[in-house]
């Protein structure tokens, strides 16, 4: 693991860094609800190719020591326009504008929901069915993201 939580998969024979680096991030807050919940763990693919609709981890453009998780809506002059999936939550491009490309760290590939306090057989089975899911770009076709 690197200091910032990324797992490196070794070096290529020619000494170059590998293309794929994976890491874990934790969701704090409600801005991506219902796609992501507070406390979810995310599998992040650093430096992965991205497209509109993807969920990504980025450095906050006004406070670069703060990482944010947002959906990439579209490329604009100056970077990516990003929004949270929760229309009632603040803290996205409606507040701080576009996020420069160099602040985009990686694409979220999957989310993992930790097992809650319930330990009944029914609760564990329910958790097993829903705990790990890929995070896809499908949400990008919602009316909310198409409306301008």
């Amino acid at each position: 693991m690197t200091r910032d939580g990324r797992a490196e998969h070794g070096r290529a024979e020619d000494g170059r860094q590998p293309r794929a680096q994976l890491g874990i991030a934790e969701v704090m807050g409600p801005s991506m609800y219902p796609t992501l919940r507070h406390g979810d763990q995310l599998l992040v693919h650093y430096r992965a190719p991205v497209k509109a609709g993807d969920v990504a981890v980025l450095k906050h453009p006004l406070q670069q020591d703060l990482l944010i998780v947002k959906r990439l809506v579209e490329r604009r002059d100056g970077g990516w326009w990003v929004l949270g999936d929760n229309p009632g939550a603040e803290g996205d491009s409606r507040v701080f504008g576009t996020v420069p490309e160099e602040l985009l760290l990686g694409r979220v590939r999957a989310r993992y929901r930790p097992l809650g306090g319930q330990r009944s057989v029914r609760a564990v089975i329910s958790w097993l069915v829903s705990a790990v899911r890929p995070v896809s770009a499908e949400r990008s076709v919602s009316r909310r993201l198409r409306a301008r």
Side-chain angles (χ1 to χ4, degrees):
M1 291 289 248
T2 63
R3 279 189 234 182
D4 60 359
R6 290 184 276 177
E8 292 189 346
H9 300 287
R11 292 181 180 267
E13 287 182 27
D14 61 0
R16 292 181 297 147
Q17 287 290 335
R19 291 185 197 183
Q21 292 188 5
L22 301 175
I24 303 293
E26 183 175 353
V27 176
M28 306 287 284
S31 73
M32 288 299 294
Y33 184 83
T35 306
L36 304 173
R37 297 180 189 163
H38 180 82
D40 283 353
Q41 302 290 313
L42 306 176
L43 177 63
V44 181
H45 184 176
Y46 291 95
R47 294 193 305 258
V50 294
K51 63 185 180 313
D54 286 343
V55 176
V57 174
L58 313 104
K59 289 183 179 182
H60 193 289
L62 305 177
Q63 186 180 347
Q64 293 182 15
D65 61 337
L66 176 66
L67 300 182
I68 58 175
V69 177
K70 301 295 176 200
R71 190 169 300 278
L72 304 175
V73 177
E74 66 183 12
R75 277 204 172 112
R76 293 187 177 182
D77 288 340
W80 281 98
W81 187 261
V82 300
L83 294 176
D85 285 355
N86 181 350
E90 295 182 358
D92 54 28
S93 287
R94 296 171 292 176
V95 174
F96 50 71
T98 58
V99 178
E101 186 80 34
E102 62 270 13
L103 298 183
L104 191 144
L105 299 177
R107 179 177 171 199
V108 174
R109 295 292 187 173
R111 65 109 173 117
Y112 163 81
R113 292 200 172 129
L115 180 61
Q118 292 274 36
R119 300 285 188 217
S120 70
V121 172
R122 186 177 189 171
V124 170
I125 290 171
S126 175
W127 172 81
L128 285 171
V129 170
S130 68
V132 178
R133 295 245 170 117
V135 176
S136 69
E138 291 178 21
R139 186 121 174 121
S140 67
V141 297
S142 72
R143 283 188 216 132
R144 179 184 169 300
L145 295 179
R146 281 188 279 141
R148 299 249 187 272

